[in-house]
């Protein structure tokens, strides 16, 4: 089959927001302990953080990193994690049925994030706590000096404020599993009060209110409306969370997961714009898609197995999803969906970063390596520059049980006018067919294909393991060529491709 893409510099969506390449580190399983932090590791720095992991996180090209949860944050006391390590309390983490040692807290994480050139996005606990604790952690983190909590931070070894701009008002408060979960009205009031209080301290903060933890939640839609009716003037973002996995072996629908993401985003935009219209507001609400990934929840949700009241393991192996070549193709396609919505989705976090449903895996005292999903993220983050362009796509269709007919080929492009470069990200979702794509890129004024990389494996279930860390890596796509402004490239079935043009 053949597909055709038309690109034009006028097909603009919005500027590429670097924050779309965010990620997420939760105190969960081995994300922090034995993940980013392992004081006894041969590469550990003076703070106990693994340098090999720092290198990989830098290579991944992440921007904003959400911390410290996740479900964890809804029972977290931030002050447990600051001050002298030897006097930090050990606590029960009810969300993940684990013991939290508090060896790593806000000050350490803020130091780590500097090492990876990231921006800290901090979530406050609105599960078991409220306005005062949110104000306290804000004062501790952001006030330069001269108050009880800012001076405490300085005494704890962080003379400079952490200057955190983005704050999440709780996590997944629509989920019955969440500590402190209540109705939309209850959460909306608490979020509004907390947002106003935080902005009384600093009106320039960027605040994220909790949307739904998935489009399949029974309260989806109503939750967004209720929460935004109460908080519209006091927040900047509403969150979206979504995880994708194959159901009943239906790989065609799984490969088309971006259709579901597109619809989810469009629905949340509709809910937000409804509230905007009713309020006759000039303000546009943005979306923070601050948890997204492939996650085989039916396989990797091991916390359900720890139920004994006397069993509270420390940094257990939880949610350590091993990723396949197909999963990487889906992750690449989800990034295409996020970029296509760059006018409204201006922040996003791949959930998560290390060990827990993550692009990076570590072994204690051992290596750190790239999962298959590392590559589409790293390459998109590196190449997406300038303005997002929505190409006109003419593709053969494929049939899916979940979404009906969907285009086999999906794509998005970015264009850096000043640099004279462009990037095209493409996915072939067919399980069987190779597709040749011709891309009319003439109006962009590009003349050469600087690079073409394709992620594909004849065995789409293959992944990168401790024993075979580079089994699935992107390869140069030798079919890519350009003639008179028209690029042609051949996409194997179940593949993700990035083209760099200049
Ligand atoms: O990312 C894993 C978990 O998924 C998070 O803690 C929670 O917010 C979501 O349900």
């Amino acid at each position: 089959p053949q597909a055709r893409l038309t690109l034009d510099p006028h097909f603009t969506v919005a500027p590429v927001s670097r924050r779309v390449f965010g990620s997420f580190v939760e105190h969960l399983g081995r994300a922090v302990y034995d993940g980013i932090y392992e004081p006894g590791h041969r590469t550990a720095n003076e703070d106990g953080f693994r340098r090999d992991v720092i290198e990989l996180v830098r290579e991944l090209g992440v921007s904003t990193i959400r911390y410290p949860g996740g479900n964890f944050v809804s029972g977290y006391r931030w002050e447990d994690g600051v001050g002298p390590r030897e006097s930090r309390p050990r606590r029960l983490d009810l969300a993940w049925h684990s013991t939290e040692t508090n060896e790593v807290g806000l000050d350490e994480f803020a130091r780590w994030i500097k090492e990876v050139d990231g921006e800290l996005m901090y979530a406050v606990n609105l599960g078991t706590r409220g306005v005062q604790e949110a104000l306290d952690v804000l004062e501790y983190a952001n006030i330069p000096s001269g108050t009880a909590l800012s001076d405490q931070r300085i005494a704890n070894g962080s003379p400079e404020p952490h200057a955190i701009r983005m704050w999440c008002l709780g996590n997944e408060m629509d989920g019955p599993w969440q500590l402190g979960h209540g109705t939309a009205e209850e959460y909306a009031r608490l979020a509004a009060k907390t947002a106003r209080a935080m902005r009384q301290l600093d009106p320039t903060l960027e605040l994220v209110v909790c949307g739904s933890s998935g489009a399949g939640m029974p309260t989806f839609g109503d939750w967004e409306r209720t929460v935004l009716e109460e908080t519209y003037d006091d927040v900047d973002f509403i969150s979206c969370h979504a995880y994708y996995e194959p159901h009943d072996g239906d790989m065609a629908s799984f490969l088309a997961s971006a259709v579901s993401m597109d619809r989810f985003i469009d629905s949340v935009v509709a809910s937000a714009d409804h509230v905007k219209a009713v309020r006759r507001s000039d303000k546009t609400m943005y979306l923070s898609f601050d948890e997204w990934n492939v996650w085989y929840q039916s396989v990797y949700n091991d916390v359900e197995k720890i139920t004994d009241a006397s069993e509270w393991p420390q940094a257990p192996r939880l949610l350590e999803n091993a990723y396949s070549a197909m999963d990487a193709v889906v992750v690449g396609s989800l990034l295409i969906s996020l970029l296509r919505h760059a006018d409204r989705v201006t922040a996003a976090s791949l959930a998560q970063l290390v060990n827990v449903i993550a692009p990076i895996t570590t072994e204690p005292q051992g290596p750190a390596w790239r999962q298959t999903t590392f590559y589409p993220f790293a390459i998109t983050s590196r190449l997406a520059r300038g303005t997002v362009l929505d190409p006109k796509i003419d593709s053969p269709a494929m049939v899916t049980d979940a979404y009906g007919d969907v285009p086999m080929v999906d794509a998005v492009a970015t264009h850096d006018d000043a640099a004279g470069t462009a990037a095209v990200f493409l996915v072939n979702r067919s399980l069987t067919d190779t597709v040749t794509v011709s891309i009319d890129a003439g109006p962009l004024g590009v003349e050469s294909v600087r690079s073409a990389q394709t992620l594909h494996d004849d065995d789409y279930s293959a992944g990168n393991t401790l024993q075979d860390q580079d089994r699935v890596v992107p390869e140069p796509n030798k079919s890519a060529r350009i003639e008179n402004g028209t690029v042609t490239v051949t996409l194997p079935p179940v593949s993700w491709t990035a083209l760099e043009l200049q």
Side-chain angles (χ1 to χ4, degrees), residues 222-236:
D222 277 342
W223 176 277
E224 278 72 7
R225 180 182 49 74
T226 308
V227 163
L228 286 177
E229 277 169 357
E230 200 65 52
T231 60
Y232 201 85
D233 294 336
D234 301 305
V235 303
D236 305 280

Side-chain angles (χ1 to χ4, degrees), residues 32 39 73 107 128 147 167 169 173 216 238 273 282 321 374 410 425 443 488 497:
V32 174
V73 83
D107 293 323
T128 58
T147 67
W167 293 78
L169 300 165
M173 296 306 298
I238 182 155
D273 288 351
D282 288 337
N321 201 130
F374 183 98
D410 196 14
F425 307 99
T488 49
T497 296

Side-chain angles (χ1 to χ4, degrees), residues 24 26-28 66 68-73 95-96 171-172 177-178 213 241 243 290-292 295 297 301 319 350-352 356-357:
F24 175 29
E26 176 168 3
H27 283 246
L28 191 185
R66 186 164 171 256
N71 296 340
F72 169 79
V73 83
W96 302 109
N171 175 69
E172 292 193 346
W177 58 86
Q178 200 72 213
S213 44
H241 290 182
Y243 294 100
D290 49 39
E291 286 189 35
W292 69 271
W295 174 11
Q297 296 203 45
N301 207 351
L319 282 51
L350 174 72
Q352 298 194 10
V356 172
I357 44 172

Side-chain angles (χ1 to χ4, degrees), residues 202-257:
D202 179 353
T204 68
L205 299 177
E206 295 175 69
L207 302 181
V208 186
V209 76
C210 290
S212 295
S213 44
M217 295 299 289
T219 50
F220 176 58
D222 277 342
W223 176 277
E224 278 72 7
R225 180 182 49 74
T226 308
V227 163
L228 286 177
E229 277 169 357
E230 200 65 52
T231 60
Y232 201 85
D233 294 336
D234 301 305
V235 303
D236 305 280
F237 297 90
I238 182 155
S239 70
C240 301
H241 290 182
Y243 294 100
Y244 303 92
E245 66 181 309
H247 295 285
D248 303 322
D250 177 3
M251 296 310 188
S253 299
F254 175 54
L255 280 161
S257 295

Side-chain angles (χ1 to χ4, degrees), residues 52 92 145 161 167 172 178 226 255 299 302 308 330 339 352 357 377 395 427 434 441 484:
D52 58 346
L92 300 180
S145 66
W167 293 78
E172 292 193 346
Q178 200 72 213
T226 308
L255 280 161
V299 185
D302 338 53
D308 192 320
V330 172
L339 283 173
Q352 298 194 10
I357 44 172
F377 190 100
S395 161
V427 61
T434 297
N484 299 328

Side-chain angles (χ1 to χ4, degrees), residues 22-76:
S23 187
F24 175 29
V25 172
E26 176 168 3
H27 283 246
L28 191 185
R30 300 192 308 125
V32 174
Y33 308 111
D34 284 351
I36 63 171
Y37 176 80
E38 191 187 336
H41 194 267
R42 61 179 173 76
T43 70
N45 69 11
E46 56 288 359
D47 283 320
F49 291 116
R50 285 179 63 152
R51 285 199 180 87
D52 58 346
V53 175
I54 288 171
E55 281 312 307
L56 285 177
V57 174
R58 292 173 72 98
E59 184 185 322
L60 187 63
V62 298
S63 52
T64 323
I65 304 183
R66 186 164 171 256
Y67 175 85
N71 296 340
F72 169 79
V73 83
S74 295
Y76 183 51

